[in-house]
Amino acid sequence: VIRCKAAVAWEAGKPLSIEEVEVAPPKAHEVRIKIVATAVCHTDAYTLSGADPEGCFPVILGHEGAGIVESAGEGVTKVKKGDTVIPLYIPQCGECKFCKNPKTNLCQKIRITQGKGVMPDGTSRFTCKGKQIYHFMGTSTFSEYTVVADISVAKIDAAAPLDKVCLLGCGISTGYGAAVNTAKVEPGSTCAVFGLGGVGLAVIMGCKIAGASRIIGIDINKDKYAKATEFGATECISPQDSKKPIQEVLVEMTDGGVDYSFECIGNVGVMRSALEACHKGWGVSVVVGVAAAGQEISTRPFQLVTGRTWKGTAFGGWKSVDNVPKLVTEYMSKKIKVDEFVTHTLPFDKINEAFELMHSGK
């Protein structure tokens, strides 16, 4: 058993608490990882808020991390002690019907137990003050050591800077993949990206790499426009600058609508705007943001009858074990940006400050 520091969420709506936890050794087909770097994501904040129907407490949150394998359980063949890895919240077992289908990346092998906050055998590897602590998204990267299933880990280039590539565990991969895998943005096309946070910036990057000629960034926070332009946005607009609905503004700006739109906020009203900003006949709108539980989307069916497509994406459609190492290689060869997404680097015990910076849009 390893004793180490972790940020424990004892209950919903309260700040995280830095505690000493015990991390049990990995069982069969499990891997124990020394987490070197982790990022914070709105999904962590969503669960912490208490709005997540799958949220279990007490829990160790975190799902964008990178580290080194400390030990591997019986039967683990893909990684060994000392390997540099990224934990994966969408695993890839290679055996289930989802993994065998090229149309999806949603491996279901450990979905049920992962959703319940436990390892595949139904138990936890974390204890604190004599209490069992739940796992989160199969990763729990807000701990100096974590245990994950062996199908939930990608071995990456040992030379990669872990304080940067941890972002490939969720945000950057999700946005980039939404553009290149889910939407399949084409050269010369026009795109609109709603929400210019980390995921939105990654979508812009993907659209630019795919050869889009016009990329319109949309956000009410104008402080984000400079960064969006740096990533490839050709112009940025705020919905608050016009009395008309934003979709009407976009349709007028683009002679009938955009070819591709992306919702990167998790707001069902904005999802409708994103769809209705698409061009009749061929426009495709991708839902990337995660809306709160119980919310529903609406539009007039005529929007779809007249040739628009509404799609969604999880982790950018990447089959995780196969593709995360390739994304790291793309970063190392300067094909995709990663460093530019990092605005602040804080010591682990300042994790609550990191959440405050995220909520403030900084």
Side-chain angles (χ1 to χ4, degrees), residues 30-39 63-72 76-89 138-141 143-170 173 315 320-321 323-329:
E30 296 176 3
V31 180
R32 186 160 61 182
I33 302 167
K34 179 181 185 184
I35 297 289
V36 174
T38 186
H63 63 283
E64 292 183 324
I68 312 289
V69 174
E70 177 274 332
S71 57
V76 175
T77 56
K78 299 262 175 81
V79 294
K80 62 184 187 306
K81 182 177 176 167
D83 281 350
T84 305
V85 294
I86 290 177
L88 307 167
Y89 69 90
T139 52
S140 290
T141 60
S143 175
E144 292 177 327
Y145 287 86
T146 190
V147 178
V148 305
D150 62 353
I151 58 172
S152 303
V153 63
K155 181 182 171 180
I156 62 161
D157 183 342
L162 302 187
D163 61 329
K164 305 295 192 294
V165 296
C166 61
L167 290 169
L168 293 169
C170 177
S173 305
F315 196 55
S320 58
V321 173
N323 287 293
V324 168
K326 291 176 185 169
L327 290 166
V328 171
T329 302

Side-chain angles (χ1 to χ4, degrees), residues 223-296:
D223 294 342
K224 301 198 167 189
Y225 294 179
K227 197 80 165 171
T229 307
E230 180 191 323
F231 275 85
T234 53
E235 63 222 277
C236 294
I237 57 174
S238 168
Q240 295 174 338
D241 286 352
S242 171
K243 291 198 169 70
K244 291 180 182 169
I246 187 69
Q247 52 266 53
E248 285 181 29
V249 175
L250 285 160
V251 166
E252 283 175 15
M253 283 172 66
T254 57
D255 184 28
V258 298
D259 302 311
Y260 301 98
S261 70
F262 302 86
E263 197 280 353
C264 307
I265 302 161
N267 178 311
V268 293
V270 178
M271 290 172 191
R272 178 174 189 160
S273 298
L275 176 78
E276 295 177 0
C278 282
H279 202 288
K280 184 187 285 188
W282 62 76
V284 174
S285 187
V286 182
V287 174
V288 192
V290 177
Q295 296 201 318
E296 298 182 349

